[in-house]
Amino acid sequence: MLIKYSVKTALTGLITNKSRSILTILGIVIAIAAIVLIVSIGQGAKDLILQQIQGLGSKTIVVIPGREPEGPSDFVNVFLDSLKEKDYKLLKNKNNVPGAEDIMPLVISSVKLSYFDETYQATILGGGDDEINNLMARIFDIFPDRGSFFTPQDVSSRASVIVIGDNVREELFGESINPLGEKIKINGRNFRVIGILPSKGQVSFFNFDDMVLAPYTTAQQYILGRKYFDRIIVVAKSEKVIARTVSDIEITLRSSHGITDPDKDDFFVETQADLVERVGFITNILTLFLVTIAAISLLVGGIGIMNIMLVSVTERTKEIGLRKAVGATNKDILRQFLLESVLLTAIGGIVGIALGVALSFVVSLILTYSLGLNWEFTFPLSAAALGLGVSAAVGLVFGIYPARQAAKKTPIDALRYE
Amino acid sequence: MHLIEVKDLEKTYYIDSVQTPALRGVSFKIKEGEFVAIVGPSGSGKSTLLHVLGFLDRHTAGEYHFDGKTINDYSEEEIARVRNKEMGFIFQTFNLLPRTTVLENVKLPLLYSGVKESLWEKKARQVIDSVGLSHRLHHESSQLSGGEIQRVAIARALVNNPRIIFADEPTGNLDSKSGKVIMELIQKLNNDGHTVILITHETYTAKHAERLIRLSDGAIKEDAPVDHRLVAADHFTK
């Protein structure tokens, strides 16, 4: 029989029992919609996170104190004070790390700010360089829109100057006071506000709106009271030299720390590529986990299809007998019923994809407008293709048993059936 | 050569290990172009015989040659092909596809025939015309009378121009007037060269055939030419 007529026959069969067909595919529709929605949101979340990581620039290398965690559950960090001023100076030496364009130490801590009666808990980020102007602003790509950044002289002289984020400004000063030149108290010491950052929200892992930026020397001396760094950030000259630069950093620090066995490193180096890979891996695992759960509903939907197809085969026993009497082969009958169940699930798949895409679009709108996330809606093409393929496969798998039952009927038994 | 040749044909049904013989050694030959009526009371085995002859069921012992070839030599695919090309069936219960138009019902055997699709419409219209239902092409069976439905079934049986027509109580569900029309049609098919095997329990209907085989309890009691054959008025010859 021509495939066109097989499809037509199958469609006629489905349309004849319209409401039953619709109810039957509902399970498939919901399952496929759930899968598309999950994959789409998973992709959106991954994109969002990656976009934030890459906000730091693909050439950025981060040196972190402590032993590299061996797995997601390995939180043990020792040697947290292993990155010192000496290491920073060695890394800055062009002979040691020729691939480095910029190097900046970083200290991070939570601090309580006060301005007269107003107080605010913020994060202080200490950075900068005693020779290069605006290095910190450049690396994080955030410049004050009022006032200025601290200078290399501020870094070398441990000047008590700070640049504040937009939330900090609003909480401490409100709209009526111009914060520039005002003094904020941290740990009992006054710091002069010299710059105000524009509102920028989340950049990389930092929310600069809630931050106070200071020269790292000032932060170490007057606020944190310690000599080590929390990170050393290295910006490579190009993406090509990243691998080489990483290995130069490792060699330099090992010799500085007297380490011969790389397994005993008291620091580790992370590139943006590493981070992207790790985050991508985690979000993929999460997505896969959720898709697996959704797939269970697909299985249930498939059993529903099988059930209805068996009913349909029984109901149409006489029709099967007639078709065989006028020349249909077992193969023709098998194909007709198989095609019917595949069409049923494929239609369910298409409706499910449309529903899933529509839902994920709505979710992206909600996330963008109500949470202020920079969420990008992407059409989950791979999930859609997968959904269609899987739903058709479900029809094939769960349709084969009823179709075989149909094909097996002898014409005379089928014709006699009442 | 005979179109149909059966020798000591037996058919036994096994239901829950209980043996029920339906045919107990039936032998006869039918030439191409013959019009044979098989008659007998209910339970005599006439329907079983028709099903075996029409490749709808298998016999359990004896021999059945169709077109010189024993049925055991036919593969599953060949059996389907013979049913499609060489045989046409007319049932007492009509067996049209529900919610399907006259035209689509008549096209049904063409779907499985290997005939080019472009010819389907023409062939179907031709046979529908020959049974006088051109004005009903796009009607569904629920909109037709019993006599009209059986004429659609006849058109469907004819669409592949088969050599032999099996008619199983074709007038059984019809009033006498419609029944008469159907018998005229069947007689005309025979006149056009189709071999016809008619199953009936009505003597009147059987008298349209030229030969009568009477079955009783699964065996042949009589096989003779029909006396005083009825020749129906021919409404359908143009």
Side-chain angles (χ1 to χ4, degrees):
Chain A
M1 182 156 74
L2 290 175
I3 189 83
K4 185 177 120 191
Y5 274 82
S6 306
V7 172
K8 199 175 150 194
T9 308
L11 275 178
T12 311
L14 297 180
I15 290 165
T16 310
N17 291 302
K18 211 179 299 162
S19 49
R20 189 167 78 184
S21 301
I22 290 171
L23 285 174
T24 310
I25 61 172
L26 209 57
I28 303 290
V29 170
I30 292 169
I32 296 293
I35 290 173
V36 170
L37 183 66
I38 289 165
V39 172
S40 173
I41 290 179
Q43 186 62 44
K46 190 171 151 185
D47 290 348
L48 186 73
I49 296 167
L50 294 185
Q51 184 190 329
Q52 302 217 333
I53 295 170
Q54 280 158 345
L56 217 53
S58 60
K59 292 181 290 183
T60 307
I61 298 165
V62 182
V63 185
I64 303 166
R67 177 167 60 78
E68 183 168 17
E70 276 161 11
S73 59
D74 183 9
F75 291 115
V76 183
N77 268 311
V78 282
F79 320 117
L80 283 181
D81 57 351
S82 60
L83 295 178
K84 307 253 166 53
E85 184 79 18
K86 178 182 76 168
D87 299 320
Y88 168 48
K89 293 279 186 268
L90 282 168
L91 293 178
K92 258 182 112 171
N93 186 334
K94 291 282 173 221
N95 296 327
N96 291 333
V97 189
E101 172 96 44
D102 290 317
I103 295 185
M104 182 179 79
L106 206 62
V107 291
I108 310 161
S109 184
S110 179
V111 289
K112 193 172 146 196
L113 313 174
S114 55
Y115 176 71
F116 294 102
D117 288 341
E118 301 290 339
T119 60
Y120 190 64
Q121 193 74 28
T123 304
I124 186 156
L125 205 58
D129 189 90
D130 57 4
E131 287 164 1
I132 303 162
N133 212 15
N134 286 346
L135 180 64
M136 190 176 193
R138 205 143 47 73
I139 285 178
F140 291 118
D141 190 30
I142 183 151
F143 291 85
D145 61 351
R146 280 190 278 163
S148 59
F149 220 77
F150 44 81
T151 60
Q153 291 72 40
D154 290 333
V155 175
S156 55
S157 67
R158 300 188 175 98
S160 296
V161 291
I162 52 172
V163 175
I164 60 172
D166 197 54
N167 276 351
V168 175
R169 175 197 61 77
E170 201 181 317
E171 293 292 333
L172 291 182
F173 301 99
E175 299 303 331
S176 54
I177 302 166
N178 178 7
L180 285 181
E182 294 298 316
K183 296 214 164 69
I184 289 177
K185 241 187 189 63
I186 306 173
N187 288 356
R189 190 182 170 91
N190 280 328
F191 291 83
R192 191 160 49 86
V193 177
I194 58 164
I196 300 157
L197 299 175
S199 173
K200 206 169 173 186
Q202 199 85 14
V203 175
S204 185
F205 289 115
F206 305 123
N207 185 350
F208 284 97
D209 292 357
D210 272 330
M211 275 192 181
V212 172
L213 309 186
Y216 73 92
T217 49
T218 311
Q220 278 185 314
Q221 174 90 15
Y222 300 118
I223 299 171
L224 307 172
R226 55 169 152 94
K227 296 249 184 235
Y228 57 87
F229 302 122
D230 294 309
R231 298 282 187 277
I232 295 175
I233 292 178
V234 179
V235 180
K237 281 180 175 149
S238 75
E239 286 181 26
K240 278 187 220 149
V241 300
I242 287 177
R244 162 100 204 279
T245 306
V246 167
S247 114
D248 286 341
I249 292 169
E250 286 171 345
I251 291 165
T252 307
L253 290 181
R254 270 177 210 139
S255 95
S256 160
H257 296 178
I259 295 167
T260 47
D261 178 5
D263 285 343
K264 293 190 174 155
D265 277 354
D266 56 3
F267 66 92
F268 64 99
V269 181
E270 201 162 65
T271 63
Q272 291 300 291
D274 291 341
L275 214 54
V276 165
E277 196 183 332
R278 196 177 305 166
V279 168
F281 182 71
I282 292 169
T283 49
N284 282 350
I285 292 270
L286 254 170
T287 304
L288 191 69
F289 171 68
L290 292 171
V291 165
T292 308
I293 293 172
I296 294 172
S297 56
L298 201 60
L299 189 74
V300 176
I303 293 168
I305 297 278
M306 180 149 74
N307 187 18
I308 279 307
M309 287 311 293
L310 278 172
V311 172
S312 173
V313 167
T314 310
E315 269 182 4
R316 286 151 71 190
T317 299
K318 257 188 131 77
E319 178 193 324
I320 295 165
L322 174 72
R323 285 180 185 275
K324 285 196 160 185
V326 301
T329 59
N330 290 352
K331 227 194 276 172
D332 289 325
I333 300 294
L334 185 85
R335 187 158 70 171
Q336 179 190 332
F337 280 89
L338 210 50
L339 205 62
E340 215 168 282
S341 62
V342 170
L343 268 179
L344 202 59
T345 53
I347 291 168
I350 290 168
V351 175
I353 288 165
L355 189 68
V357 169
L359 282 177
S360 46
F361 184 69
V362 170
V363 168
S364 76
L365 287 184
I366 291 172
L367 289 172
T368 307
Y369 290 107
S370 73
L371 298 180
L373 291 175
N374 187 15
W375 187 280
E376 233 174 86
F377 169 75
T378 43
F379 182 81
L381 192 67
S382 59
L386 186 80
L388 192 62
V390 166
S391 58
V394 165
L396 204 64
V397 168
F398 289 96
I400 196 110
Y401 176 69
R404 283 179 68 113
Q405 294 298 102
K408 252 171 38 187
K409 289 184 189 293
T410 65
I412 196 57
D413 287 341
L415 279 171
R416 277 209 200 108
Y417 182 84
E418 290 300 334
Chain B
M1 194 175 65
H2 291 87
L3 181 60
I4 283 176
E5 201 174 334
V6 295
K7 205 176 161 197
D8 304 325
L9 197 71
E10 288 181 25
K11 170 73 185 179
T12 307
Y13 292 108
Y14 297 88
I15 301 161
D16 297 333
S17 74
V18 177
Q19 289 188 22
T20 313
L23 295 174
R24 312 163 182 258
V26 174
S27 303
F28 58 82
K29 294 171 181 179
I30 294 174
K31 287 198 293 268
E32 185 122 34
E34 262 191 289
F35 187 169
V36 181
I38 299 174
V39 296
S42 172
S44 59
K46 55 188 192 304
S47 283
T48 302
L49 179 59
L50 180 110
H51 295 149
V52 171
L53 296 181
F55 283 19
L56 296 175
D57 207 351
R58 296 247 181 186
H59 59 284
T60 39
E63 286 173 34
Y64 172 24
H65 294 272
F66 180 83
D67 201 16
K69 199 169 153 188
T70 162
I71 185 166
N72 301 323
D73 292 346
Y74 287 94
S75 70
E76 171 68 39
E77 297 270 311
E78 280 172 322
I79 285 175
R81 195 195 62 78
V82 170
R83 284 201 288 249
N84 182 254
K85 297 270 186 193
E86 316 269 345
M87 299 171 172
F89 294 92
I90 303 165
F91 302 98
Q92 181 177 2
T93 51
F94 321 126
N95 289 331
L96 294 197
L97 291 181
R99 294 173 288 266
T100 307
T101 63
V102 167
L103 189 63
E104 293 301 317
N105 261 299
V106 173
K107 272 186 189 173
L108 189 65
L110 293 166
L111 262 59
Y112 305 104
S113 66
V115 170
K116 265 203 295 190
E117 195 198 346
S118 53
L119 300 174
W120 292 2
E121 183 91 7
K122 192 179 150 211
K123 278 177 170 278
R125 279 173 184 267
Q126 238 166 30
V127 286
I128 292 168
D129 190 40
S130 76
V131 299
L133 284 177
S134 296
H135 59 298
R136 295 292 211 181
L137 277 181
H138 302 292
H139 288 78
E140 295 184 0
S141 50
S142 57
Q143 300 165 297
L144 305 177
S145 72
E148 286 175 322
I149 291 175
Q150 195 58 300
R151 275 146 70 190
V152 177
I154 292 174
R156 183 181 63 195
L158 285 177
V159 75
N160 273 332
N161 195 25
R163 290 163 78 182
I164 184 162
I165 305 270
F166 294 100
D168 188 359
E169 303 270 15
T171 61
N173 280 359
L174 301 176
D175 60 79
S176 57
K177 197 177 154 209
S178 306
K180 217 171 148 186
V181 174
I182 295 302
M183 286 319 297
E184 282 168 23
L185 252 175
I186 290 175
Q187 218 166 37
K188 177 182 171 284
L189 298 183
N190 181 240
N191 292 339
D192 292 346
H194 298 279
T195 308
V196 176
I197 296 184
L198 168 75
I199 298 273
T200 182
H201 64 275
E202 297 165 339
T203 319
Y204 168 79
T205 309
K207 287 219 166 214
H208 289 82
E210 49 189 18
R211 174 181 165 194
L212 190 141
I213 296 177
R214 189 179 302 279
L215 279 184
S216 179
D217 206 14
I220 294 179
K221 288 284 169 295
E222 183 191 347
D223 184 350
V226 172
D227 292 332
H228 313 294
R229 187 182 183 208
L230 285 175
V231 178
D234 195 348
H235 289 139
F236 293 95
T237 307
K238 289 185 180 163

